[in-house]
Structure formats: structure tokens, C-alpha cells
Amino acid sequence: MGQKKDLTGSEKSKIVRYLAEGCSSLKIAKLLKRDHRTIKRFIQNSQQGRKKRVEKPRRKITAHELRKVKRAAAKMPLATSLAIFQSCNITGVPKSTRCAILRDMAKVRKAERRPPLNKTHKLKRQGWAKKYLKTDFSKVLWTDEMRVSLDGPDGWARGWIGKGQRAPVPLRRQQGGGGVLVWAGIIKDELVGPFRVEDGVKLNSQSYCQFLEDTFFKQWYRKKSASFKKNMIFMQDNAPSHASKYSTAWLARKGIKEEKLMTWPPCSPDLNPIENLWSIIKCEIYKEGKQYTSLNSVWEAVVAAARNVDGEQIKTLTESMDGRLLSVLAKKGGYIGR
């Protein structure tokens, strides 16, 4: 019965159980076929418990340093407590003390995902809701792009921000940067796509229209009946490549014009049901902290996740539009929950 270095977690659990049953340390050693000294050492260490933590004297912060910290917190929104104190050349302060000091002058906030709405935005959102209140939304094709990266959705972590300050709005780029750009649409209970934008292609007006020609029109729209095309309403947001004169004229030549091309209010991702579809797909492809090693692998994950979204889920999203319009009017053009 040789002496081994460490007990496994399973062996430790068995020792606790055997002790509860009244077994002696010698008997436990025989049952586990371990050295008696190893068992005794574990029992003794367990009975001693953790040593009491010795509190170190905390560094005192002067009134002058407090004023410096307050100014730094105002100039450095969403910075960590360590970064704020380092910018003031204040060292030797433990994290618990830094946070306790900052709580009196600041608060922890996340960056705001949506830009604030001004009066014009709210009026346009209300006008849009009134215009389409009687629309049959089962005939609307809701479209949008989504960018997926190898490591998951980009975003800023929590950080300290002075009281009375607004958290800065992070730059959300629909075009440019790394990752895979995906386009898709939903109508009634059907998913259109997803289609992948070629790597390295920046979507300007010309490339956007060519992309729609190669994917949406050739692979889906041309297969539809004349009556379907006559009644379908095409929705897209106000991204520059979408709302330009070139793109509008090009869509008009395809028969998508006037009432067949939905007008869209500014700053309104909360009104587009396909945003919820993107959330479903991202939750699936990045679940349990999943990361990817290539753009092709993350694209394959997007396609697989999209296939798992059934028609009932899509129908629930498209049928939510009546409620969204009523919510916009009730909130006088303000943001609605999605």
C-alpha cells in the first residue's frame, strides 16, 4: 500500500462519508487502499478549517485625492476602478476600497445599446405607426443584415460612470470590420436566406444591389407567383447603401417602389421583427461560450441555427407587429421592449 501524493476528489468525498458512518481513519485507509498517514493528514487539515484572514490596514484617501478621483470618473466613462485610480497616481488601494469610494460619486453602468431618441425621431416613429396601422403584415418582407464574429457579439463590459452622466453609445458598424456579414428576410412564417455577403466586400449602393440580384432575386423572388409579387411589401432600414438614390431607383426598376417599398423611421431597430431572429440565432451559435476558428465555421453555424428556427417562431415574430405599432403610439414614439 504505497503512499501517494494527493487524494482525488472522489476519495475525499468517500472519506467524509465514511467518517459520517463512524469509521476510523485506519479502516478508511484500508477501504481506500491508501496510506494511513495520508488519510489522517486530510482529516486533520479539514478539522482545522481555514485560517482567519488578517485584515491589513487600509490606505487613507485624502480630500484632495477624492476630488481627483471624482474628476477622473467624469472624464473616463465606463473605466474600471483601477484605471480611474491609476490615472490619479493613487496606488496601494485595494479593489474593495476603490469601489466603496466610487459608489459615493458614481455608479456602474453598461454602454447603452440604442441611441437616445430626439423629438423628431419620436414624431417620425409615431407617423410611421399611424401610416401602417391597418397594414396586413403577413405580406411584408422584413430584411436586415447581421455581422457575426468568431468570438461572439461585441460589447463593452460594465464600468464606472459618474452620477448624472449618460453611458456613451458604442459604435455599431453594419458595414466594415471583421467577421461574416449575413443578410436574411422573414415574411409570414417563412425565412428567406440566410445569404452570406462575400468576404472583403463593403456594401455600398452598387454592391448591395448586386448582392440582392445574385441572392434574393435569383434564388427566391423569381420563384414566387405574380400575385405574390404584386402584394409583397419590401422593408429595409435606412442604412446608406439601402436608402441611397441609386438603390431606390434600382429597386424601382425591379418593381419594388412606392407603396411596395416600406418607408422606415430613424433609429428603429426595435420595430423590425428580424432583430429578434438575429438574437435567436446568436444565442444558439454562441451558447456556452462557443468560439470559432474560421469564418467558414461560424457561417456554417449560422446556417445550421437558421434551419432550426421553425415556421411558428417566425410567425410569432411577424404577427407581433400590430402590438409593436400600438406600443409605439402608447409611448409617444419612444422605444418599445422587444
PDB file of all heavy atoms in Angstrom, residues 205 209 236 241-258 261:
ATOM      1  N   SER A 205     -23.924  51.199 -52.322  1.00  0.00           N
ATOM      2  CA  SER A 205     -25.174  51.089 -53.083  1.00  0.00           C
ATOM      3  C   SER A 205     -25.072  50.070 -54.212  1.00  0.00           C
ATOM      4  O   SER A 205     -25.960  49.234 -54.408  1.00  0.00           O
ATOM      5  CB  SER A 205     -25.562  52.460 -53.653  1.00  0.00           C
ATOM      6  OG  SER A 205     -25.748  53.387 -52.615  1.00  0.00           O
ATOM      7  N   CYS A 209     -26.990  46.299 -54.255  1.00  0.00           N
ATOM      8  CA  CYS A 209     -27.959  45.927 -55.299  1.00  0.00           C
ATOM      9  C   CYS A 209     -27.509  44.662 -56.037  1.00  0.00           C
ATOM     10  O   CYS A 209     -28.335  43.801 -56.355  1.00  0.00           O
ATOM     11  CB  CYS A 209     -28.134  47.083 -56.277  1.00  0.00           C
ATOM     12  SG  CYS A 209     -28.927  48.533 -55.547  1.00  0.00           S
ATOM     13  N   GLN A 236     -36.700  47.581 -45.595  1.00  0.00           N
ATOM     14  CA  GLN A 236     -35.282  47.649 -45.291  1.00  0.00           C
ATOM     15  C   GLN A 236     -35.058  48.898 -44.452  1.00  0.00           C
ATOM     16  O   GLN A 236     -35.851  49.842 -44.504  1.00  0.00           O
ATOM     17  CB  GLN A 236     -34.444  47.694 -46.567  1.00  0.00           C
ATOM     18  CG  GLN A 236     -34.753  48.879 -47.474  1.00  0.00           C
ATOM     19  CD  GLN A 236     -33.932  48.872 -48.754  1.00  0.00           C
ATOM     20  OE1 GLN A 236     -33.140  47.993 -49.004  1.00  0.00           O
ATOM     21  NE2 GLN A 236     -34.126  49.888 -49.580  1.00  0.00           N
ATOM     22  N   SER A 241     -26.408  52.345 -47.805  1.00  0.00           N
ATOM     23  CA  SER A 241     -26.471  51.524 -49.012  1.00  0.00           C
ATOM     24  C   SER A 241     -27.910  51.152 -49.371  1.00  0.00           C
ATOM     25  O   SER A 241     -28.201  50.826 -50.527  1.00  0.00           O
ATOM     26  CB  SER A 241     -25.648  50.251 -48.829  1.00  0.00           C
ATOM     27  OG  SER A 241     -26.124  49.501 -47.724  1.00  0.00           O
ATOM     28  N   HIS A 242     -28.827  51.214 -48.412  1.00  0.00           N
ATOM     29  CA  HIS A 242     -30.228  50.873 -48.662  1.00  0.00           C
ATOM     30  C   HIS A 242     -31.015  52.078 -49.177  1.00  0.00           C
ATOM     31  O   HIS A 242     -31.832  51.960 -50.090  1.00  0.00           O
ATOM     32  CB  HIS A 242     -30.906  50.373 -47.379  1.00  0.00           C
ATOM     33  CG  HIS A 242     -30.270  49.168 -46.785  1.00  0.00           C
ATOM     34  ND1 HIS A 242     -30.629  48.656 -45.556  1.00  0.00           N
ATOM     35  CD2 HIS A 242     -29.282  48.356 -47.237  1.00  0.00           C
ATOM     36  CE1 HIS A 242     -29.903  47.597 -45.273  1.00  0.00           C
ATOM     37  NE2 HIS A 242     -29.070  47.396 -46.281  1.00  0.00           N
ATOM     38  N   ALA A 243     -30.798  53.220 -48.511  1.00  0.00           N
ATOM     39  CA  ALA A 243     -31.669  54.375 -48.741  1.00  0.00           C
ATOM     40  C   ALA A 243     -31.141  55.338 -49.808  1.00  0.00           C
ATOM     41  O   ALA A 243     -31.747  56.387 -50.030  1.00  0.00           O
ATOM     42  CB  ALA A 243     -31.865  55.119 -47.421  1.00  0.00           C
ATOM     43  N   SER A 244     -30.034  55.004 -50.451  1.00  0.00           N
ATOM     44  CA  SER A 244     -29.472  55.911 -51.456  1.00  0.00           C
ATOM     45  C   SER A 244     -30.379  56.013 -52.675  1.00  0.00           C
ATOM     46  O   SER A 244     -31.235  55.156 -52.925  1.00  0.00           O
ATOM     47  CB  SER A 244     -28.090  55.411 -51.886  1.00  0.00           C
ATOM     48  OG  SER A 244     -28.209  54.191 -52.605  1.00  0.00           O
ATOM     49  N   LYS A 245     -30.174  57.066 -53.457  1.00  0.00           N
ATOM     50  CA  LYS A 245     -30.962  57.253 -54.686  1.00  0.00           C
ATOM     51  C   LYS A 245     -30.703  56.109 -55.667  1.00  0.00           C
ATOM     52  O   LYS A 245     -31.616  55.658 -56.376  1.00  0.00           O
ATOM     53  CB  LYS A 245     -30.604  58.591 -55.323  1.00  0.00           C
ATOM     54  CG  LYS A 245     -31.080  59.796 -54.521  1.00  0.00           C
ATOM     55  CD  LYS A 245     -30.736  61.085 -55.245  1.00  0.00           C
ATOM     56  CE  LYS A 245     -31.221  62.299 -54.456  1.00  0.00           C
ATOM     57  NZ  LYS A 245     -30.879  63.574 -55.141  1.00  0.00           N
ATOM     58  N   TYR A 246     -29.451  55.653 -55.708  1.00  0.00           N
ATOM     59  CA  TYR A 246     -29.101  54.559 -56.620  1.00  0.00           C
ATOM     60  C   TYR A 246     -29.894  53.296 -56.278  1.00  0.00           C
ATOM     61  O   TYR A 246     -30.506  52.671 -57.157  1.00  0.00           O
ATOM     62  CB  TYR A 246     -27.605  54.285 -56.541  1.00  0.00           C
ATOM     63  CG  TYR A 246     -27.125  53.172 -57.447  1.00  0.00           C
ATOM     64  CD1 TYR A 246     -26.621  53.448 -58.718  1.00  0.00           C
ATOM     65  CD2 TYR A 246     -27.180  51.835 -57.031  1.00  0.00           C
ATOM     66  CE1 TYR A 246     -26.189  52.432 -59.550  1.00  0.00           C
ATOM     67  CE2 TYR A 246     -26.747  50.813 -57.856  1.00  0.00           C
ATOM     68  CZ  TYR A 246     -26.258  51.107 -59.114  1.00  0.00           C
ATOM     69  OH  TYR A 246     -25.835  50.096 -59.937  1.00  0.00           O
ATOM     70  N   SER A 247     -29.897  52.915 -54.997  1.00  0.00           N
ATOM     71  CA  SER A 247     -30.585  51.690 -54.574  1.00  0.00           C
ATOM     72  C   SER A 247     -32.098  51.820 -54.753  1.00  0.00           C
ATOM     73  O   SER A 247     -32.770  50.868 -55.183  1.00  0.00           O
ATOM     74  CB  SER A 247     -30.263  51.381 -53.105  1.00  0.00           C
ATOM     75  OG  SER A 247     -28.883  51.150 -52.929  1.00  0.00           O
ATOM     76  N   THR A 248     -32.633  52.998 -54.428  1.00  0.00           N
ATOM     77  CA  THR A 248     -34.078  53.213 -54.580  1.00  0.00           C
ATOM     78  C   THR A 248     -34.496  53.097 -56.041  1.00  0.00           C
ATOM     79  O   THR A 248     -35.514  52.470 -56.364  1.00  0.00           O
ATOM     80  CB  THR A 248     -34.460  54.598 -54.022  1.00  0.00           C
ATOM     81  OG1 THR A 248     -34.051  54.695 -52.652  1.00  0.00           O
ATOM     82  CG2 THR A 248     -35.961  54.809 -54.108  1.00  0.00           C
ATOM     83  N   ALA A 249     -33.703  53.694 -56.931  1.00  0.00           N
ATOM     84  CA  ALA A 249     -34.021  53.619 -58.363  1.00  0.00           C
ATOM     85  C   ALA A 249     -33.868  52.195 -58.877  1.00  0.00           C
ATOM     86  O   ALA A 249     -34.666  51.726 -59.708  1.00  0.00           O
ATOM     87  CB  ALA A 249     -33.117  54.565 -59.140  1.00  0.00           C
ATOM     88  N   TRP A 250     -32.863  51.491 -58.397  1.00  0.00           N
ATOM     89  CA  TRP A 250     -32.640  50.106 -58.840  1.00  0.00           C
ATOM     90  C   TRP A 250     -33.791  49.206 -58.406  1.00  0.00           C
ATOM     91  O   TRP A 250     -34.283  48.378 -59.183  1.00  0.00           O
ATOM     92  CB  TRP A 250     -31.323  49.608 -58.250  1.00  0.00           C
ATOM     93  CG  TRP A 250     -30.923  48.241 -58.729  1.00  0.00           C
ATOM     94  CD1 TRP A 250     -30.241  47.930 -59.869  1.00  0.00           C
ATOM     95  CD2 TRP A 250     -31.191  46.992 -58.071  1.00  0.00           C
ATOM     96  NE1 TRP A 250     -30.055  46.573 -59.963  1.00  0.00           N
ATOM     97  CE2 TRP A 250     -30.627  45.968 -58.870  1.00  0.00           C
ATOM     98  CE3 TRP A 250     -31.830  46.642 -56.896  1.00  0.00           C
ATOM     99  CZ2 TRP A 250     -30.711  44.623 -58.525  1.00  0.00           C
ATOM    100  CZ3 TRP A 250     -31.911  45.304 -56.547  1.00  0.00           C
ATOM    101  CH2 TRP A 250     -31.354  44.310 -57.352  1.00  0.00           C
ATOM    102  N   LEU A 251     -34.259  49.354 -57.159  1.00  0.00           N
ATOM    103  CA  LEU A 251     -35.397  48.569 -56.682  1.00  0.00           C
ATOM    104  C   LEU A 251     -36.667  48.922 -57.448  1.00  0.00           C
ATOM    105  O   LEU A 251     -37.503  48.040 -57.725  1.00  0.00           O
ATOM    106  CB  LEU A 251     -35.605  48.806 -55.182  1.00  0.00           C
ATOM    107  CG  LEU A 251     -34.591  48.150 -54.243  1.00  0.00           C
ATOM    108  CD1 LEU A 251     -34.786  48.645 -52.816  1.00  0.00           C
ATOM    109  CD2 LEU A 251     -34.715  46.630 -54.281  1.00  0.00           C
ATOM    110  N   ALA A 252     -36.799  50.180 -57.815  1.00  0.00           N
ATOM    111  CA  ALA A 252     -37.977  50.599 -58.587  1.00  0.00           C
ATOM    112  C   ALA A 252     -38.017  49.890 -59.933  1.00  0.00           C
ATOM    113  O   ALA A 252     -39.086  49.491 -60.409  1.00  0.00           O
ATOM    114  CB  ALA A 252     -37.964  52.110 -58.772  1.00  0.00           C
ATOM    115  N   ARG A 253     -36.846  49.735 -60.558  1.00  0.00           N
ATOM    116  CA  ARG A 253     -36.805  49.011 -61.832  1.00  0.00           C
ATOM    117  C   ARG A 253     -37.172  47.542 -61.659  1.00  0.00           C
ATOM    118  O   ARG A 253     -37.596  46.880 -62.606  1.00  0.00           O
ATOM    119  CB  ARG A 253     -35.412  49.140 -62.459  1.00  0.00           C
ATOM    120  CG  ARG A 253     -35.070  50.548 -62.916  1.00  0.00           C
ATOM    121  CD  ARG A 253     -33.871  50.551 -63.853  1.00  0.00           C
ATOM    122  NE  ARG A 253     -32.655  50.103 -63.189  1.00  0.00           N
ATOM    123  CZ  ARG A 253     -31.828  50.911 -62.526  1.00  0.00           C
ATOM    124  NH1 ARG A 253     -32.099  52.211 -62.422  1.00  0.00           N
ATOM    125  NH2 ARG A 253     -30.725  50.443 -61.980  1.00  0.00           N
ATOM    126  N   LYS A 254     -37.017  47.027 -60.434  1.00  0.00           N
ATOM    127  CA  LYS A 254     -37.396  45.649 -60.137  1.00  0.00           C
ATOM    128  C   LYS A 254     -38.874  45.550 -59.745  1.00  0.00           C
ATOM    129  O   LYS A 254     -39.365  44.458 -59.426  1.00  0.00           O
ATOM    130  CB  LYS A 254     -36.543  45.106 -58.990  1.00  0.00           C
ATOM    131  CG  LYS A 254     -35.073  44.931 -59.339  1.00  0.00           C
ATOM    132  CD  LYS A 254     -34.892  43.751 -60.282  1.00  0.00           C
ATOM    133  CE  LYS A 254     -33.425  43.455 -60.528  1.00  0.00           C
ATOM    134  NZ  LYS A 254     -33.243  42.279 -61.421  1.00  0.00           N
ATOM    135  N   GLY A 255     -39.568  46.674 -59.745  1.00  0.00           N
ATOM    136  CA  GLY A 255     -40.992  46.665 -59.392  1.00  0.00           C
ATOM    137  C   GLY A 255     -41.254  46.935 -57.922  1.00  0.00           C
ATOM    138  O   GLY A 255     -42.406  46.911 -57.477  1.00  0.00           O
ATOM    139  N   ILE A 256     -40.218  47.204 -57.161  1.00  0.00           N
ATOM    140  CA  ILE A 256     -40.386  47.493 -55.729  1.00  0.00           C
ATOM    141  C   ILE A 256     -40.265  49.001 -55.550  1.00  0.00           C
ATOM    142  O   ILE A 256     -39.161  49.551 -55.453  1.00  0.00           O
ATOM    143  CB  ILE A 256     -39.329  46.739 -54.879  1.00  0.00           C
ATOM    144  CG1 ILE A 256     -39.500  45.233 -55.064  1.00  0.00           C
ATOM    145  CG2 ILE A 256     -39.440  47.105 -53.410  1.00  0.00           C
ATOM    146  CD1 ILE A 256     -38.457  44.394 -54.343  1.00  0.00           C
ATOM    147  N   LYS A 257     -41.397  49.655 -55.535  1.00  0.00           N
ATOM    148  CA  LYS A 257     -41.422  51.112 -55.446  1.00  0.00           C
ATOM    149  C   LYS A 257     -42.745  51.563 -54.834  1.00  0.00           C
ATOM    150  O   LYS A 257     -43.672  50.772 -54.651  1.00  0.00           O
ATOM    151  CB  LYS A 257     -41.252  51.729 -56.833  1.00  0.00           C
ATOM    152  CG  LYS A 257     -42.290  51.270 -57.854  1.00  0.00           C
ATOM    153  CD  LYS A 257     -41.997  51.832 -59.235  1.00  0.00           C
ATOM    154  CE  LYS A 257     -43.007  51.304 -60.271  1.00  0.00           C
ATOM    155  NZ  LYS A 257     -42.750  51.856 -61.609  1.00  0.00           N
ATOM    156  N   GLU A 258     -42.773  52.848 -54.504  1.00  0.00           N
ATOM    157  CA  GLU A 258     -43.962  53.479 -53.924  1.00  0.00           C
ATOM    158  C   GLU A 258     -44.465  52.671 -52.725  1.00  0.00           C
ATOM    159  O   GLU A 258     -43.724  52.449 -51.777  1.00  0.00           O
ATOM    160  CB  GLU A 258     -45.039  53.658 -55.007  1.00  0.00           C
ATOM    161  CG  GLU A 258     -44.562  54.550 -56.156  1.00  0.00           C
ATOM    162  CD  GLU A 258     -45.533  54.599 -57.306  1.00  0.00           C
ATOM    163  OE1 GLU A 258     -46.507  53.807 -57.306  1.00  0.00           O
ATOM    164  OE2 GLU A 258     -45.319  55.430 -58.220  1.00  0.00           O
ATOM    165  N   LEU A 261     -42.493  49.563 -51.319  1.00  0.00           N
ATOM    166  CA  LEU A 261     -41.259  49.773 -50.571  1.00  0.00           C
ATOM    167  C   LEU A 261     -41.613  50.534 -49.298  1.00  0.00           C
ATOM    168  O   LEU A 261     -41.965  51.710 -49.342  1.00  0.00           O
ATOM    169  CB  LEU A 261     -40.250  50.560 -51.400  1.00  0.00           C
ATOM    170  CG  LEU A 261     -38.900  50.830 -50.725  1.00  0.00           C
ATOM    171  CD1 LEU A 261     -38.171  49.530 -50.403  1.00  0.00           C
ATOM    172  CD2 LEU A 261     -38.038  51.727 -51.611  1.00  0.00           C
TER     173      LEU A 261
END
